[in-house]
Amino acid sequence: MHHHIAPTRTLTRRAALQTGGLLCAHALFASSLRASAPPRVFNVLKYGAIGDGVTLDSPAIQRAIDAAATSGTRSQVLVPRGKRYLVGTLRLKSNIDFHLADDAQLSISTRREDYGAALPTETDPEKAAAVQDAVIVADGAIGLRISGTGRIEGRAREFMSGYDQAGEWWVPKAWRPKMFVLTACRDLEVRDITFAEAPFWGLHILGCEDVLVDNVKVRNLLDVPNCDGIDPDHSRRVEIRNCDVVAGDDAIVVKCSRQARDYGPASHIHVHDCVLETQDAGLKIGTETTSDIHDIVFERCRIKTSSRGLGIQLRDEGSVYNITFRDIELHSRFYSAPWWGRGEAISFTAIPRKPGSAIGKLHHVVVDNVTGTAENSVRVCGSPQSRPHDITLRNIALLFDKRSAYPGGIFDNRPTSVTTALEPHSTPGFSFEHADAVTLTDCKVSWGENPPASFGYAVEAHDTTEVKTERLTGGPARATLGKGVSIS
């Protein structure tokens, strides 16, 4: 479906997409792509692509991309149906529609020499080797579209050195590519495609503006680490909608990662009407928070399984504020210890990453109308260096029940070396520590039939000021506790 705009870069859907003050403008093509004339088609087969799954087709496909980008016309790079194309790095350009037609499949190469050292996005030398290359890249593209019902196969297990039975996950080799690194793009649209078995991050949107991600399906492996689904990073005015994500790591995560270049804050991002399945966080902000992250709305999503339903992990110098989660069904449970998250329904934490490292502030967060099940608490926890404040939790109804066999009675503070990473802790329904101005309204706590000894109060607060509980339903997990609320 095309979105028609006037022949300027002004976004015309701003008013319609405002949600509680959030500007939810999505990516729209530049006016040159909106001409009434049909696009000129650049069929990759005519540029030498074979599509037999054996011949490396990325040089031929790149020739088609380059020709389309320099044609001066509205152009589509067509990857035809019925074939499997082996590819390394593909560099997409401005004002093209890269179209995977019908059942067309890109299968990524496992040979590093087939990749182009796409973008130096990682400054941490320990991680640089792992993220040097990517399959689909673009840098500074304007009016780029990635479309079609085709599929990109990531062949994740072929980038793994073996399976760790104790950790219940695959251990990566020293090098593995990302699926997408789209950097500093404007008027970007990604729709309808499927990508699967990503060996590393999936759709990484870095420093982009005016982005629409619509009806994208992700089918990553649940036991492969770091295979995030969709990562808007330092990006602004992004809409992610109608996506169906299966990913071992975070399903949809907003972040500001540490980069050699300043790409600015992450802001005005709207994630809605998505279905998510993960062994890590369902909807998350962080842990990379090197710039401010603000004016973010997550709504009308279903998290089928996760190790942490909703998460904010502030660990760096940026601040996180004006965040809304609403109308969400979540299910959270324990997985093996290597996966971050210990079954928390909701976890908002502000803890320095390292001793002496800078940390911003977490404030003005609203969670409204959330239902589901979890094995661990709704948690708001700060630190002496950063106390979350103005946190509003309302219309939250959760059943806490220990169903997995993994040990309970623990909170997950990772990543940090400032405090205990995996902290022994009771499991209240709502847990508030080192925070201020926390309001709980019209919330309900239910417990499973046989609560373990670690399950505790409906609400437990420690070193938290201005705690307000209004119309709370539900008492403690065990009658011997005597009361539902404990504030100390």
Side-chain angles (χ1 to χ4, degrees), residues 141-182:
I142 300 173
L144 169 64
R145 187 181 194 197
I146 301 170
S147 69
T149 55
R151 182 179 180 100
I152 307 174
E153 288 289 345
R155 304 170 67 182
R157 289 193 185 95
E158 296 178 62
F159 294 90
M160 303 294 125
S161 61
Y163 188 77
D164 174 15
Q165 294 287 350
E168 299 179 24
W169 64 350
W170 288 92
V171 178
K173 295 177 181 177
W175 173 81
R176 50 184 170 147
K178 291 183 179 179
M179 296 290 271
F180 297 81
V181 179
L182 308 177

Side-chain angles (χ1 to χ4, degrees), residues 228-361:
D228 299 14
I230 303 172
D231 292 52
D233 185 359
H234 289 280
S235 292
R236 292 163 292 284
R237 297 182 301 281
V238 178
E239 182 178 5
I240 300 170
R241 68 187 188 197
N242 307 319
C243 293
D244 186 339
V245 178
V246 176
D249 224 296
D250 302 322
I252 299 178
V253 51
V254 178
K255 60 180 64 191
C256 284
S257 60
R258 197 167 300 282
Q259 301 289 334
R261 171 180 167 186
D262 181 8
Y263 288 104
S267 69
H268 302 99
I269 297 174
H270 187 195
V271 178
H272 63 97
D273 299 289
C274 295
V275 178
L276 313 169
E277 181 177 354
T278 173
Q279 289 191 181
D280 218 292
L283 296 168
K284 176 180 162 185
I285 293 173
T287 64
E288 296 90 340
T289 49
T290 64
S291 300
D292 286 0
I293 298 176
H294 64 89
D295 294 286
I296 314 294
V297 169
F298 302 94
E299 64 179 338
R300 296 192 306 276
C301 292
R302 180 184 177 213
I303 302 170
K304 295 167 68 174
T305 186
S306 64
S307 67
R308 180 180 281 147
L310 312 179
I312 300 175
Q313 290 176 277
L314 175 62
R315 295 293 182 273
D316 303 302
E317 61 268 30
S319 291
V320 177
Y321 57 93
N322 294 350
I323 311 298
T324 299
F325 297 86
R326 63 170 165 243
D327 301 331
I328 293 169
E329 176 189 342
L330 64 84
H331 301 279
S332 184
R333 48 156 291 192
F334 280 70
Y335 287 95
S336 56
W339 301 103
W340 287 356
R342 297 286 81 206
E344 302 97 338
I346 300 169
S347 180
F348 300 156
T349 58
I351 304 170
R353 191 178 291 273
K354 300 175 182 178
S357 64
I359 185 168
K361 301 298 182 183

Side-chain angles (χ1 to χ4, degrees), residues 450-464:
N450 298 297
S454 59
F455 278 22
Y457 297 103
V459 178
E460 182 176 349
H462 172 69
D463 186 27
T464 299

Side-chain angles (χ1 to χ4, degrees), residues 61 65 77 79 90 92 96-100 106 145-147:
I61 295 173
I65 292 167
V77 176
V79 182
L90 296 171
L92 304 186
I96 66 169
D97 173 13
F98 184 74
H99 187 75
L100 300 176
L106 303 183
R145 187 181 194 197
I146 301 170
S147 69

